[in-house]
Amino acid sequence: MKSLTLDLTRWEAHCILEALTELDAKWANICQTSQDEDEVADYGNDLIELRLTLKSVKEKAIAEFGPGVANFDRTPL
């Protein structure tokens, strides 16, 4: 299996984590609400892979940049 190595800034890692997190929520919602068994199966399988990817990226980003890189709260202080 080939792999891709990326050199990301904190901001780039943050954006990727947020996008993966939002996609996780979207696909999970589809799995919970769809009446189409094929759609649920397709998204469910992809969701498993997405969550493995998210976990790996999140662990590496937090190790490099600290836990704040995974904070997506935009509430004003």
Side-chain angles (χ1 to χ4, degrees):
M1 172 192 269
K2 291 185 177 185
S3 66
L4 174 68
T5 302
L6 297 175
D7 185 22
L8 302 173
T9 65
R10 183 190 183 288
W11 176 249
E12 292 165 337
H14 175 84
C15 289
I16 289 170
L17 284 172
E18 186 171 19
L20 290 172
T21 300
E22 289 181 7
L23 191 56
D24 180 300
K26 178 182 176 182
W27 289 359
N29 184 57
I30 290 170
C31 289
Q32 293 170 358
T33 60
S34 178
Q35 301 300 313
D36 183 333
E37 291 179 11
D38 290 332
E39 182 179 51
V40 171
D42 288 342
Y43 277 98
N45 290 333
D46 289 346
L47 185 57
I48 292 167
E49 294 295 327
L50 175 69
R51 286 181 174 167
L52 293 172
T53 301
L54 176 56
K55 181 180 182 214
S56 174
V57 173
K58 188 174 185 178
E59 287 173 355
K60 291 174 184 175
I62 289 173
E64 183 67 28
F65 302 114
V69 73
N71 180 357
F72 313 122
D73 184 16
R74 288 189 170 79
T75 305
L77 298 176

